[in-house]
């Protein structure tokens, strides 16, 4: 833990600068690269680290985290996903109040990623606060109650995913696909639309007020004898907002 | 205490599971012992007198100076120490545990040498077992301290080998293992005084094997202890959890 620039910092009610021993018992940390001795087995790692934390080994967590058949396998022979799950089990073994996860799903396949997300939700539902550091905005949007965006070590946005996306330019994406090429060929102006682009068979409009935009679009398509095949409305994603912030800063 | 016991057992197993540690702890010293036992007494009959202490000293040098530093450097550089830190393992365990388990492996190797040398090579056994055990332990302590210190200060594996060989080779050549201290040229004898193994061989001769010491064997014991203390103290002071951060 680094010293704060200003203000008061408490983690689980503990001052990290003065009460480091208490802090270690209240937090769990999973690093992005789970550095473990190559020949250590999950059972041995659990026994060793729980002994240092003076808690009983939580072999049940290894089973729950899908490592039941790998408990005697050496760390070097585990897959990346299994190594991450082991690191997560070790970080959670002493039931910390706050769990720090550093890019836990980086480099994982889709199935392992979903599994790990489920485990994180399970820990969260058991009352553990999870601080998730990630570059994956979709993951942050899906998993987080509160998001903080850091740029160059400075906090530039904080709030729920909805709050953060709402504080941006607020342009909603309206993608329209019609049977004929009415929208593709005619550059008609629609209310509240500030930008238009063509993506495959879709025409994408960026609207500041989707009600009038969508109503005008439907009316225009109908009036020109065309038929609406698909219309999608997507609110700005966290990734869009992140890109907006990084461009601005 | 339970944590230290769990860590000790794990490290002890690593010493057997890890092929390079197994080689340095057992295969290399025992093979060298057998080779020297079969060859050297034929060339130099007096070597038989120093076979047991000499080969025990060699086993200690190989297991500590050649075997211990590299795993420490690798553990630091690959983030293993960081993982240990965040899981509550104190630095003192990381410094002393490899030393303690290596000394355990060395006790086994020493037992094998002591048990087989009289039978295979007609080599004399120590006359004072207490001193023999004490000197063995002090040499292992001093060399393990130096090995840990090398592991702490070496920036990478290549430098580790360089530092370790800078101690190992002179120890073998002028430390009294292959050549008696009394036969060394004056300059080499002065330099040899800085090597722990010189003091161990001197103490073995004067206190454990019933022979004559070249200089005060008591001072040799003190020197070994002081070297061990200083090396472990420095290693503790300079220890860093990873290659980037230096705070303890």
């Amino acid at each position: 833990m680094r010293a704060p620039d200003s203000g008061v910092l408490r983690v689980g009610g503990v001052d990290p600068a003065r009460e480091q021993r208490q802090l270690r018992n209240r937090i769990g940390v999973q690093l992005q690269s789970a550095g473990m001795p190559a020949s250590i087995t999950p059972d041995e790692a659990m026994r060793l680290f729980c002994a240092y934390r003076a808690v009983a080994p939580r072999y049940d967590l290894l089973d729950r985290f899908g490592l039941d058949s790998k408990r005697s396998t050496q760390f070097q022979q585990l897959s990346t996903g299994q190594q991450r799950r082991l690191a997560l089990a070790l970080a959670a073994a002493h039931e910390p109040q706050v769990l720090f996860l550093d890019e836990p799903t980086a480099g994982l396949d889709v199935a392992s990623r979903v599994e790990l997300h489920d485990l994180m939700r399970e820990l969260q539902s058991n009352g553990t606060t999870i601080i998730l550091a990630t570059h994956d905005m979709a993951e942050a949007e899906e998993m987080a109650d509160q998001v903080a965006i850091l740029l160059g070590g400075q906090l530039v946005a904080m709030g729920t995913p909805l709050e953060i996306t709402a504080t941006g330019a607020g342009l909603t994406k309206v993608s329209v696909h019609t049977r004929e090429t009415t929208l593709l060929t005619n550059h008609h102006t629609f209310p509240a639309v500030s930008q238009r682009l063509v993506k495959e068979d879709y025409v994408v409009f960026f609207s500041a007020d989707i009600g009038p935009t969508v109503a005008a679009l439907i009316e225009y398509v109908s009036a020109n004898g065309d038929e609406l095949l698909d219309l999608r409305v997507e609110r700005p994603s966290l990734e869009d907002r992140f890109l907006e912030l990084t461009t601005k800063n | 205490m339970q944590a230290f016991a769990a860590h000790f057992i794990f490290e002890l197993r690593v010493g057997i599971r890890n092929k390079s540690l197994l080689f340095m702890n057992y295969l290399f010293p025992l093979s060298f012992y057998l080779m020297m036992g079969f060859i050297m007494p034929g060339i130099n009959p007096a070597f038989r007198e120093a076979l047991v202490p000499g080969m025990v000293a060699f086993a200690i040098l190989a297991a500590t100076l050649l075997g211990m530093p590299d795993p420490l450097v690798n553990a630091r550089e690959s983030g293993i120490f960081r993982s240990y830190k965040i899981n509550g393992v104190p630095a003192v365990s990381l410094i002393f545990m490899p030393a303690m388990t290596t000394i355990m492996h060395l006790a086994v190797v020493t037992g094998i040498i002591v048990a087989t040398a009289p039978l295979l090579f007609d080599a004399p056994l120590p006359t004072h077992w207490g001193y023999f055990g004490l000197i063995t332990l002090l040499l292992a302590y001093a060399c393990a301290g130096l090995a840990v210190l090398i592991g702490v200060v070496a920036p990478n594996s290549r430098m580790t080998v360089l530092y370790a060989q800078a101690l190992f080779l002179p120890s073998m050549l002028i430390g009294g293992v292959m050549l008696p201290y009394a036969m060394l040229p004056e300059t080499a004898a002065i330099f040899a005084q800085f090597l722990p193994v010189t003091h161990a061989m001197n103490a073995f001769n004067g206190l454990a094997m019933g022979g004559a010491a070249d200089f005060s064997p008591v001072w040799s014991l003190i020197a070994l202890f002081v070297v061990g203390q200083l090396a472990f103290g420095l290693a503790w002071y300079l220890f860093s959890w990873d290659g980037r951060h230096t705070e303890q």
Side-chain angles (χ1 to χ4, degrees), chain A residues 2 20 24 27-31 33-41 44 47-53 74 87 90-91, chain B residues 2-4 6-8 10 13-14 17-18 78-90 93 97 241 245 248:
Chain A
R2 296 185 181 180
Q20 291 198 356
R24 280 188 190 165
I27 65 169
V29 183
Q30 182 205 16
L31 300 174
S33 61
M36 291 275 168
S39 65
I40 200 167
T41 66
E44 285 173 338
R47 193 179 311 128
L48 180 64
F49 295 142
C50 283
Y52 273 110
R53 290 197 185 276
Q74 292 188 8
L90 294 173
Chain B
Q2 202 184 351
F4 280 95
H7 198 163
F8 182 79
F10 166 67
R13 285 179 180 161
V14 168
R17 274 186 208 154
N18 184 315
S78 62
I80 293 172
F81 282 173
R82 250 183 302 155
S83 283
Y84 276 155
K85 184 184 185 184
I86 62 168
N87 281 297
V89 181
S93 293
M97 213 53 80
W241 288 97
H245 302 109
Q248 285 196 359

Side-chain angles (χ1 to χ4, degrees), chain B residues 4-5 7-13 15-16 21 25-26 59-60 63-64 68 96-112 136-137 140-141 144:
Chain B
F4 280 95
H7 198 163
F8 182 79
I9 290 165
F10 166 67
E11 285 283 346
L12 207 58
R13 285 179 180 161
I16 296 164
L21 283 182
N25 286 339
Y26 291 95
I60 292 170
T64 53
M68 282 175 59
F96 284 103
M97 213 53 80
M100 286 168 67
T101 52
T102 301
I103 289 171
M104 276 299 286
H105 292 299
L106 282 170
V108 176
V109 172
T110 302
I112 294 170
T136 303
L137 195 65
Y141 178 67

Side-chain angles (χ1 to χ4, degrees), chain A residues 30-35 84 101-104 106:
Chain A
Q30 182 205 16
L31 300 174
Q32 189 180 355
S33 61
R84 294 272 169 82
L101 306 181
D102 184 9
E103 307 225 26

Side-chain angles (χ1 to χ4, degrees), chain B residues 114-196:
Chain B
V114 163
T116 57
L119 302 172
L120 293 175
F121 310 116
D122 198 23
L125 286 174
T127 50
H128 294 93
W129 285 99
Y131 276 127
F132 180 77
L134 177 68
I135 298 160
T136 303
L137 195 65
L138 282 174
L139 177 62
Y141 178 67
C143 290
L146 291 169
V148 171
L149 184 60
I150 290 171
V152 166
V153 299
N156 53 49
S157 287
R158 270 186 302 175
M159 292 306 287
T160 308
V161 175
L162 202 69
Y163 293 163
Q165 290 293 354
L167 263 176
F168 180 79
L169 287 177
S171 296
M172 284 302 295
L173 292 173
I174 58 172
V177 176
M178 305 298 290
L179 203 65
Y181 177 83
M183 290 175 68
L184 293 177
E186 196 179 340
T187 319
I190 292 168
F191 186 69
Q193 287 280 333
F194 292 98
L195 299 169

Side-chain angles (χ1 to χ4, degrees), chain A residues 19-85:
Chain A
E19 300 162 291
Q20 291 198 356
R21 185 167 288 186
Q22 291 92 320
L23 177 76
R24 280 188 190 165
N25 289 330
R26 294 194 189 194
I27 65 169
V29 183
Q30 182 205 16
L31 300 174
Q32 189 180 355
S33 61
M36 291 275 168
S39 65
I40 200 167
T41 66
D43 260 5
E44 285 173 338
M46 184 58 81
R47 193 179 311 128
L48 180 64
F49 295 142
C50 283
Y52 273 110
R53 290 197 185 276
V55 295
R58 292 288 308 276
Y59 300 117
D60 58 307
L61 278 181
L62 297 177
D63 297 345
R64 288 264 305 289
F65 285 19
L67 294 166
D68 43 329
S69 62
K70 301 284 179 185
R71 283 174 52 173
S72 301
T73 305
Q74 292 188 8
F75 185 75
Q76 60 193 343
Q77 291 162 339
L78 298 175
S79 70
T80 310
Q82 287 164 343
Q83 291 180 352
R84 294 272 169 82
R85 276 181 275 153

Side-chain angles (χ1 to χ4, degrees), chain A:
Chain A
M1 282 281 182
R2 296 185 181 180
D5 297 327
S6 61
V8 177
L9 179 66
R10 290 280 183 278
V11 180
V14 163
D15 180 352
R18 292 180 182 172
E19 300 162 291
Q20 291 198 356
R21 185 167 288 186
Q22 291 92 320
L23 177 76
R24 280 188 190 165
N25 289 330
R26 294 194 189 194
I27 65 169
V29 183
Q30 182 205 16
L31 300 174
Q32 189 180 355
S33 61
M36 291 275 168
S39 65
I40 200 167
T41 66
D43 260 5
E44 285 173 338
M46 184 58 81
R47 193 179 311 128
L48 180 64
F49 295 142
C50 283
Y52 273 110
R53 290 197 185 276
V55 295
R58 292 288 308 276
Y59 300 117
D60 58 307
L61 278 181
L62 297 177
D63 297 345
R64 288 264 305 289
F65 285 19
L67 294 166
D68 43 329
S69 62
K70 301 284 179 185
R71 283 174 52 173
S72 301
T73 305
Q74 292 188 8
F75 185 75
Q76 60 193 343
Q77 291 162 339
L78 298 175
S79 70
T80 310
Q82 287 164 343
Q83 291 180 352
R84 294 272 169 82
R85 276 181 275 153
L86 172 61
L88 187 57
L90 294 173
H94 59 296
E95 297 180 356
Q97 289 178 26
V98 186
L99 193 55
F100 293 87
L101 306 181
D102 184 9
E103 307 225 26
T105 56
L108 291 188
D109 59 56
V110 178
S112 305
R113 184 187 159 92
V114 169
E115 263 179 45
L116 213 62
H117 281 170
D118 289 343
L119 292 171
M120 285 156 64
R121 283 195 194 91
E122 202 178 310
L123 289 166
Q124 191 191 17
S125 67
N126 290 337
T128 308
T129 300
I130 297 177
I131 310 282
L132 171 68
T134 181
H135 283 100
D136 184 343
M137 293 299 116
E139 181 176 55
E141 198 163 9
E142 185 192 341
M143 300 296 296
D145 300 320
Q146 291 281 320
V147 175
I149 297 179
L150 291 166
L151 278 177
Q154 298 294 314
L155 193 64
V156 293
M158 190 171 166
T160 65
L162 269 174
E163 283 168 352
I164 288 187
T165 49
T167 53
L171 295 178
T172 302
K173 221 163 30 175
V174 183
S175 307
V176 188
H177 177 33
T178 58
R179 187 171 298 282
E180 306 299 333
T181 56
T182 313
L183 289 172
L184 285 169
T185 49
N186 299 327
H187 287 255
H188 186 73
T189 310
F190 295 99
V193 170
S194 60
Q195 198 187 339
R196 171 192 184 277
L197 59 91
V198 177
K199 202 172 180 183
E200 295 169 358
D201 292 334
Y202 285 78
V203 184
V204 183
F205 301 94
F206 292 88
S207 167
D209 189 358
I210 57 163
T213 305
V214 171
L217 273 167
I218 293 170
E219 193 185 329
Y220 182 77
V221 169
S222 174
N224 283 277
D226 201 350
E227 187 187 344
L228 199 64
L229 293 178
D230 191 14
L231 187 147
R232 298 175 189 191
V233 176
E234 295 166 74
R235 67 176 173 81
S237 67
L238 198 58
E239 188 165 310
D240 295 331
R241 178 69 180 127
F242 179 77
L243 289 171
E244 192 187 321
L245 282 167
T246 50
T247 312
K248 199 166 73 182
N249 287 280

